[in-house]
Amino acid sequence: MINDYPTEELLKSGCLSCQGCGATIVMRHCLKVLGKNTICTIPACCWSIIAGNWPYNTLEVPLIHTAFETAAASASGIRAALDMKGKQDTRVLAFAGDGGTFDIGLQSLSGATERNEDIVYVCYDNEAYMNTGIQRSSATPEKAWTTTTPTSHPKGGPKKNILQILSGHKIPYCATASVAWPEDLMAKVKKAAETKGTAFIHAYSPCPPGWKISSEKSIEIARLAVNTKIFPLYEIFDGEEYRINVEPKGLPVEEYLKRQGRFSHLDKEDVEYIQKRVDYEWKVLLQRSMMEPFHMNM
Amino acid sequence: MKKVLMGNHAASWGARLSKVKMIAAYPITPQTHIVEELSEMCGDGSLDAKFLKVESEHSAMASVISSQSTGVRSFTATSANGLALMHELLHWAAGARLPIVMVNVNRALAPGWNIWVDQGDSLSQRDTGWVQLYVEDNQEVLDSVIQGYRIAEQVNLPVMICYDAFILSHTYEPVDIPDQDLVDKWLPGYQPEHYLNPEKPSAFNGLVMPDNYMEIRYKLHMAHERAKSVTNEVGQSFGETFGRYYGAVEAVECDDAEMVIAISSSATSPARLVIRELRDKGMKIGLLKMRMFRPFPTEEVRAVLKGKSKAVVIDRNCSWGKGGIFADEIKGAISNQEDMPAIYSYITGLGGRSITPDLIHEIVTEVESGEPPAELSVWKGLKQ
Amino acid sequence: MSEIKTIVYKTVDEVPEFVVSEATMLWNKTGSWRYLRPGYLNKIPPCNQGCPAGNDVEGFIALIGEKKYADAWRLLKEENPFPAVCGRVCYHPCETACNRGQFDHSIGINSLERFASDHAPVGETPQKVKPESGKKVAIVGSGPAGLTAAYHLARMGHETTVYEADEEPGGLMRYGIPEYRLPNSVLDTEIDAIRSLGVKIECNTRIGNDLSWEDLQSFDAIFVAVGVHKNNKLGIENEEIKGVFSGLELLGNITRGKEMVLGDHTVIIGGGNSAIDSARCALRQGSRVTLFYHRSRNEMPAFAEEIYEAEREGLKVHFLRQPVKILAEGGKVSGIRMRQTMLGEPDESGRRRPEPVPGTEFDVQASTIVTAIGESADLDFLPEAVKTEYRRISVNKFTQTSSLSVYAGGDAALEEHNVAEAIGSGKMAACAIDAQLRNSELTESQIIGKTGAVSVSRYLKHGNAHAESPDSNHVVEFKELNINYFEPQARNKAQKLDMNDRMKGFREINLAYPEDMALKEADRCFHCGICTMCDNCYVFCPDVAISRKPKEEWGYDIAMDYCKGCGICVYECPRSAMFMEEEK
């Protein structure tokens, strides 16, 4: 039994997520940490539907649905209003998909981060526009199949590194997290909530229908993503201080790729290429994690 | 207290007197003074508000929508391309039934780049569900911002106060600044029925299925219907308190007029001059100031125009491929009505071109002589 | 939370002005999306099946993990009256079965059993589990099989008398296992507990001598567990000469405190546990000891650990050597003639048959020769109605003989000769006799897994939860575990007595786990097939359909109204304590 696991459920049953939805698990754990005194803003994404149709709501925190590109701006507005009402203790959670974060919402996210708005921004990354039917986003991994990157021309170019973009803003706190490490995820949400200023969590969230995996494998795939170093779990403080949280087992990427229909067209060279890129990115991350942050040199 | 203010600062004062709590804005010429002044006011403590210096008009409107949804009176200002960028969120603000007030300084849309007056920016937001008021001078700018909140909060609709670039925005006029206590009494604090509240968790703007969407939209439309009378009531009430009366339209010397000039915004002032001169010469001519564009004051327009023989509509805008927008709207309002005047539509003053008394004189002379065709918009002031 | 209901607006006036959602989604019973249904089901851990005595191995380790040491002992006692004995002498096939062995190293179950028995509450005796039946049962033999049967029969309410030919009860536990492996005091404590249940143990009473078989006919049932005491002969010259002993003779004499003069060099013939025990006893008598075995190390039946320890203590082992003749001088042993063998084709036991190599004879000087090549039962006292085969009593899997009301177990009836198997057969006999006397049912479903022993607790529960589902007797395999939740961790090794202290006498060699080590070792257990409330199912459920049961209860509830049947809970269960079935 996990002793300090918060038992309060602010996400209620009956929500409209698919079987095995990673994004729903992320929401559940975020709210467990943030608690009732939270206002949530959700741009267009799977969660626009998951939360339930009017006049129903599956969350037990106030929630505003906002336009696709506006999660961070909306969160900023809520924060400003709360501050004016003297409700500094109420937390603001922007909860957006990868499309609303990496693509269409990147500008407002950049703006809010640069202003250092006191918000928690959680991007649940299911690596494509899933709600609209599996179209590629800039978070889609290289060579993956989606409906707009069919196997005749799979997704070109590597997945956008959103944490690098945000660390470039000198964001006080940003981190990757995974549904397969719920305690780590919750610890990061807690840190994010306690951060004065903008905190960003990039939460890896498997999508069984979109990735062509069976629903019970959601967590397994997330675990493999970490253990193959495809999605390392780490934190960046003040955009400079890197901390790797989970030592990956270093399994070959093939173990991850071969279990998902979206990669079933890959040949040996593709897998080798992905392995090389993953190894390179891991090396970069390791080197960054060994660098002394700026403030230590002052 | 009287002050000599540029139009933009009158807008800032309007927001300040309305005790807005949240301002989010992005700079665009010719709106910049509004936010500069508000920034100063927030800085020196004369206005207790949070000023969010967002990275775009889109984010300005998005954050204002969310702050208003959190139960705080919110304000923004923009112009032209900035307004166009907000377009999507203008729908959100109205659909969410949020009483936001925004100032839009009417400016021409690019390309080519043009920073001068033109109503095309706000008129092309016609169907976003915002109440739109077009105001004539700096005093009206200030007064309308305050009235805007009363109207908005009474019908739960966002209100856009529109005025002309440079002609008002950058031009100093003496403006009476009402006493704050008086404004506070006339415009109480914002008390929304619904707001984002952790003690009463509910979801805003969720998915509405076809079985309810039409009814929801009908309610939006009916709120606009109510906004017409509310605007008149608010204008009347404002007058009773502050001595300056406003309404959806203003009819000047129309009772016995045979010809009426319908016009809006700052061009109303030269038109007033022309009317007086022609009246002095014995011509039975009147003026219809179109202050409200949305909701469209159909009843007021019909009442003023009934029994007139000719109506001249001067538009500082154009709906491409159709013509002057106010003219088109007025035609729509009087269609199927008996005893209505012929409508003469003139497009002029685009992109900062002046609308002078001489130009209006010319137009009246043309119409009086029956030269122009009634069914087409005439472009007046083109280089010959 | 608002009321759970759907909301239908009938007229435009009823439709609210604002798109604000205040009602809960709980009306949406997403359980209807499900085509597979998860459930909780405790299955059989392989250790439990692997225990010939039928212990709830996982269960007692879990209790040790919770620091409930006395409860761990009590749980062991539900199945087995001899946890302290087994914790010392069992060859622990449970550890071979342990799934953790395929991950890193199997759990030190044997040492944990010893630890639990060391923490037995002093003087506590397990309670009776059934009312008095008024029936009487006779047990012939007080070895592990006989005493186990007596223990369970007494607990099940039958008047039980044990007849023992020897002076003291215990059989080979007392006379065949040296004290350095099993101190008598430990054995006495566990036998005393059996006596305290009302079991009568009549020693010095050999059936066929002191009492006749007919004398036993007044009993309602008889359990024969006489063990094997007849030493198999080498069949070579001078086997009866002075200085030649059987292994059991040597061990028995030492246990009884008889003085043994072995001389300077003892030669042991044989490769079983008796041979090794004899060798180690001889070493403790100060003799040099050499053991000859006619096959190779691979075929040696003695426990590898015992061989290893014996060699550390100084035993010299020679393989592929077979005795030809015992050499005598002055009417007593002077040596033995050996010859080399080579392994040929496998025999009926499956081991390769040793074949003599001609011309390889050699003589070895010896002061004592111990023959330990196996024992067989003396069954002359049995009537013809009780059929035997290969000098073993023929029994079915419920220990029934060919004669009604006569049951048999232990070494006299089993192919495998060891304490744990004997205990298992004693339990089976107790259950079978109880079932006969009370006209209740003993079925194969009360056997643990496919190949395990009978479970007394299952038999007593009679159609418990396990028996209801056909899957419940499924033994969890390694591949069914989600090993991502386990970290490699070396096995904790219990200390052994220092070599110098060891050889001075018969002090117990294997030392118990200290508490911290026992806890660490218990923590290594995977708990295959048994829910430990690790919370994985609860934490990972995307549909908030799983909740912990109220505080005082064990386990979780699944809200079937909302479970979408994604299967994450089942897949992420580290120990395969859940299952998924098709929705009906």
Side-chain angles (χ1 to χ4, degrees), chain B residues 187-199:
Chain B
L187 178 69
Y190 179 44
Q191 298 282 346
E193 187 184 341
H194 300 279
Y195 63 96
L196 293 164
N197 177 6
E199 276 155 36

Side-chain angles (χ1 to χ4, degrees), chain C residues 31 82-83 110 114 152 196 224 231 270 407 411 467 500 527 555:
Chain C
F82 292 113
N110 191 234
R114 159 92 184 264
H152 286 298
S196 72
V224 180
N231 203 54
Y407 298 78
D411 290 356
N500 294 330
H527 303 281

Side-chain angles (χ1 to χ4, degrees), chain A residues 36-41 48-49 52-57 59-70 73-78 80-85 87 90 107-108 111-112 115 117, chain B residues 21-22 48-50 52-56 58-60 62-72 85 88-89 92 98 195-209 212 216:
Chain A
K36 265 184 157 356
N37 194 10
T38 302
I39 295 177
C40 182
T41 178
S48 310
I49 307 302
N53 54 310
W54 179 80
Y56 311 107
N57 172 22
L59 299 184
E60 295 217 329
V61 296
L63 152 66
I64 182 167
H65 292 276
T66 188
F68 210 164
E69 60 281 59
T70 64
S74 167
S76 306
I78 297 166
L82 288 171
D83 288 350
M84 287 313 297
K85 291 170 112 179
K87 308 248 179 202
T90 302
Q107 173 181 312
S108 70
R115 295 190 304 273
E117 300 284 354
Chain B
K21 290 281 176 206
M22 212 295 263
D48 182 24
K50 177 108 176 173
L52 219 55
K53 290 115 187 156
V54 288
E55 83 297 336
S56 72
H58 198 279
S59 286
S63 52
V64 159
I65 286 170
S66 287
S67 61
Q68 190 82 37
S69 298
T70 313
V72 157
L85 182 59
E88 179 201 18
L89 291 164
W92 276 85
L98 295 169
Y195 63 96
L196 293 164
N197 177 6
E199 276 155 36
K200 192 187 168 203
S202 40
F204 288 53
N205 314 334
L207 174 73
V208 180
M209 308 295 270
N212 282 316
I216 289 281

